[in-house]
Amino acid sequence: MSDLVQISIRHRTGHIVLDRPKALNSLSLEMVRALSAALLAWRDDPQVDAVVIRSSSEKALCAGGDIRFFYDAGLATPQGGSALLEDFFTEEYALNHLIHFYPKPYIAVMDGVVMGGGMGVAQAGPGNRLRIVTGRTRMAMPEVNIGLFPDVGGSYFLSRLAGQLGLYLGLTGLTINAADALYTGLADVYLPEAQMGALLALFESTPGEGLPVAIKALAAPFQAEAGASLLATARAALDRHFSAGSVAAIMASLAQDDGAFAAKALAAMRLRSPLMMSVTLELLQRGAHLGVADCLRMERTVVRHNFEHGEVLEGVRALVVDKDNAPRWQPASLDGVDAAMVARFFAPVWPAQAHPLRHLD
C-alpha cells in the first residue's frame, strides 16, 4: 500500500482517502498501485457493497498525475523510454478501466480541484457512478496546457458529452465549476461545503448498499444552490464555434465573435500546443466511435508518441520547472502542423498482441 492513500472498510463500504495534500493529491505510481490493489481486493469481497473515494483535504480530490515525475522520468535516457514512465501510464489507464466497469457503487467526492488524472479516478461508468461536486469544485481536463492531451479515458467521456462540450473542454483546458460540471454531465449531485460534515457522518452511519440513495436524499434540497451554468448560457455559440471542423477553423470562428466567452476560449487556445490541440481534436473524433478499452489503448499509444516527440516535456518545463510560462512548442504555430504529423501520434507502437493494455475488454 501507500502512505499517501488511506484505505479502510467501514459499514460495508471501502474507503479510499487520497492523502498527499501538499501536491494536491497528484497521482504517483505508488498511489495508482494502492488504488488498484484496493479496488481489485474489494471487487469480489462480500463484505464490501460500495466504494467511496475522497481527499483528506478540502483543496483537491486530485489535481492530476505527478507531472514533475513525468518530466524527470521523461528526460531519462533514452528520452521517453523510462520504464517507470511506461509503467505509470499502463497502470493508470488500467485503473481507469477498472473504475469504469466496477461492479459496485463508486462514489467520488469531487471537492476542490479535480483535474486530469483526478477526473480519471472520479469518472466511473454510468452503471456505478455517483459524482458529488461542491462550491469548491474546480474541474478541468487541462492537459493541453502542458503539451499533453486529455487522457485517462478522456477520449471516451469527453467525446460523449452533448454537442461540442467535450471538444471545448479538451481544446481549451479551461476550468469549470459545479454548475457547469452538472450541466455537462460530468457530475451527478451538488452539495454545499457546509454539508460536507453531514456527508462524512452519512458515510459513518449508513451501510454501503444504502449510500447512493442516502446521499441523493441529503443532496436533494440543495441542487438549486449550484447556480446557473455559464456553459449553458454560452452553449449555442460554443457549439457553433467548436463544430468548425479543424483547430484553425475553430480559432478563426472564435476570433469573429466579440463576446466574452469566445474571447476567453480563444485566448486560452493561443497559449496551447498547436500540435497537441490538433492531436486532441483527432483523438476525440476517433474516441466517439470506440469503446472504453479501445479508447484507453489508443491513449496509451498516443502518450508514448507524445513523450518521444517531447512536447509534454517542454510544456512541463515552461509551466512547472522553469516557470517562465513561455513554452517553445514544436511546431510553434498551427501553420506548421499537417495531417501526417498528427497521424504519426496514432501509429501503432506495439503489435496488437503485445500492447500493454491488450487484456482490457
Side-chain angles (χ1 to χ4, degrees):
M1 290 300 177
S2 168
D3 293 337
L4 305 178
V5 182
Q6 302 170 22
I7 290 170
S8 61
I9 300 173
R10 301 190 306 280
H11 298 288
R12 303 186 65 84
T13 298
H15 290 269
I16 297 172
V17 182
L18 303 183
D19 192 18
R20 194 187 184 190
K22 290 183 180 179
L24 298 180
N25 294 328
S26 294
L27 293 173
S28 64
L29 179 57
E30 176 186 335
M31 294 167 73
V32 167
R33 288 176 172 173
L35 266 67
S36 298
L39 291 172
L40 288 169
W42 294 338
R43 185 169 56 183
D44 300 315
D45 186 342
Q47 301 303 311
V48 176
D49 291 331
V51 171
V52 169
I53 184 168
R54 61 183 182 87
S55 172
S56 63
S57 163
E58 65 184 31
K59 291 183 179 179
L61 171 64
C62 173
D66 187 341
I67 57 176
R68 183 56 191 253
F69 159 72
F70 298 166
Y71 181 79
D72 292 340
L75 286 182
T77 52
Q79 185 184 53
S82 163
L84 288 177
L85 200 59
E86 292 288 300
D87 289 348
F88 179 87
F89 287 106
T90 296
E91 295 183 40
E92 183 185 30
Y93 295 177
L95 172 62
N96 302 145
H97 184 273
L98 175 63
I99 290 169
H100 184 92
F101 292 106
Y102 209 65
K104 299 175 181 182
Y106 184 90
I107 299 158
V109 184
M110 302 169 79
D111 190 21
V113 173
V114 190
M115 296 183 179
M119 290 286 279
V121 299
Q123 294 294 328
N128 63 358
R129 66 192 178 206
L130 180 55
R131 301 158 299 174
I132 304 163
V133 286
T134 76
R136 290 187 290 250
T137 297
R138 296 295 178 265
M139 181 184 291
M141 290 298 286
E143 290 83 359
V144 289
N145 298 8
I146 57 165
L148 200 56
F149 62 93
D151 62 340
V152 297
S155 60
Y156 182 85
F157 62 76
L158 288 183
S159 68
R160 280 156 177 79
L161 300 187
Q164 303 301 319
L165 289 168
L167 197 53
Y168 163 80
L169 293 173
L171 289 180
T172 67
L174 290 171
T175 302
I176 60 175
N177 62 11
D180 286 333
L182 292 165
Y183 174 73
T184 59
L186 292 169
D188 301 302
V189 297
Y190 171 80
L191 267 180
E193 303 91 300
Q195 293 300 313
M196 294 307 292
L199 179 64
L200 296 181
L202 202 63
F203 292 155
E204 299 303 324
S205 63
T206 306
E209 187 178 17
L211 268 181
V213 171
I215 291 168
K216 289 175 184 176
L218 173 66
F222 305 105
Q223 294 316 290
E225 294 183 21
S229 164
L230 295 178
L231 291 185
T233 303
R235 177 64 186 281
L238 184 157
D239 281 351
R240 183 175 73 255
H241 296 312
F242 283 83
S243 62
S246 70
V247 175
I250 290 168
M251 294 180 72
S253 181
L254 288 167
Q256 295 170 4
D257 185 334
D258 58 5
F261 167 83
K264 184 176 181 180
L266 182 60
M269 293 177 70
R270 283 174 171 162
L271 298 175
R272 311 313 186 210
S273 160
L275 175 59
M276 295 317 297
M277 284 194 296
S278 302
V279 169
T280 294
L281 175 59
E282 178 70 15
L283 182 92
L284 295 185
Q285 289 174 339
R286 293 186 182 213
H289 305 287
L290 299 175
V292 175
D294 283 333
C295 278
L296 290 166
R297 278 189 281 267
M298 173 176 64
E299 292 174 10
R300 186 64 185 84
T301 294
V302 175
V303 82
R304 172 65 171 266
H305 287 300
N306 183 276
F307 275 88
E308 289 173 349
H309 177 280
E311 197 78 332
V312 62
L313 301 178
E314 173 59 16
V316 175
R317 180 208 64 76
L319 274 71
V320 178
V321 180
D322 296 340
K323 298 182 180 179
D324 59 22
N325 293 312
R328 297 183 287 271
W329 301 128
Q330 298 294 330
S333 71
L334 280 171
D335 293 340
V337 179
D338 60 33
M341 196 179 295
V342 172
R344 281 197 288 273
F345 278 76
F346 297 87
V349 175
W350 310 271
Q353 72 274 10
H355 194 291
L357 296 177
R358 61 191 176 277
H359 301 303
L360 300 185
D361 56 25

